[in-house]
Amino acid sequence: MRLFRCIFSLSLFLFKGTCLLGQPSVIYNQAKEKIVSFLQQYDAQHSWNLKSISLEGNRVTKNYIIMREVPLREGDQISAGYLLGVLEKSRLNLLNTELFLEVIPYVDSVTDTELYLRFLFKERWYIFPLPYFNIIEIGRAHV
């Protein structure tokens, strides 16, 4: 039974995310703390125009697949009270696709009226089984 628990825990680690119990990583917690401290400078009614969303770290997954799961688009007006919630929702949507091990949203840069967002990804490894065929001659002795 102990071996089963060990294998089950290892499979959770390898296949469901960055840590065993689905807890956010340390890097994500640091990024979230930076966003929260940034948002404390503004009141909840302050809004920005979203100028760009940049995606980094996605080598296999196409940008349009990622942007399907993000409820923000360039040109949207985003209030300070809404920003943290929508970034968390985007992160969870992207993690639920099970294409990524880690998704970290950042506020890249900001002015009084413009906001630039960046998402960093750590993609899963894709392992595809390949069939192996070999021609065997029947009736010949193997030497």
Side-chain angles (χ1 to χ4, degrees):
M1 190 61 153
R2 181 179 277 173
L3 179 63
F4 174 74
R5 284 185 193 155
C6 181
I7 291 172
F8 181 72
S9 296
L10 183 62
S11 67
L12 282 178
F13 177 75
L14 293 175
F15 299 117
K16 291 306 279 182
T18 56
C19 45
L20 287 177
L21 298 175
Q23 298 172 353
S25 69
V26 174
I27 297 171
Y28 170 70
N29 288 336
Q30 292 171 350
K32 186 175 179 180
E33 287 174 9
K34 285 182 183 178
I35 293 171
V36 169
S37 67
F38 161 74
L39 290 175
Q40 288 174 348
Q41 300 171 6
Y42 298 94
D43 62 342
Q45 302 302 321
H46 186 83
S47 66
W48 296 277
N49 183 20
L50 182 60
K51 284 304 249 187
S52 75
I53 301 173
S54 62
L55 309 173
E56 296 177 11
N58 55 320
R59 292 187 179 97
V60 176
T61 308
K62 304 291 184 200
N63 288 346
Y64 73 91
I65 301 291
I66 295 170
M67 291 308 294
R68 277 194 314 210
E69 303 299 327
V70 177
L72 297 171
R73 298 290 174 258
E74 294 177 3
D76 286 354
Q77 286 291 116
I78 304 170
S79 67
Y82 178 68
L83 182 63
L84 187 62
V86 77
L87 288 178
E88 180 65 20
K89 177 71 174 162
S90 300
R91 178 183 167 273
L92 292 176
N93 285 350
L94 290 164
L95 286 173
N96 284 339
T97 62
E98 295 190 3
L99 295 172
F100 306 103
L101 293 174
E102 195 168 44
V103 177
I104 303 171
Y106 286 102
V107 174
D108 208 12
S109 64
V110 67
T111 64
D112 277 346
T113 59
E114 296 177 349
L115 181 71
Y116 298 85
L117 295 179
R118 179 172 41 134
F119 285 91
L120 295 178
F121 302 99
K122 185 186 289 185
E123 285 188 312
R124 289 191 183 277
W125 288 23
Y126 299 101
I127 301 173
F128 299 107
L130 296 175
Y132 175 74
F133 296 105
N134 192 7
I135 299 173
I136 300 174
E137 294 183 23
I138 300 176
R140 290 213 169 208
H142 294 286
V143 178

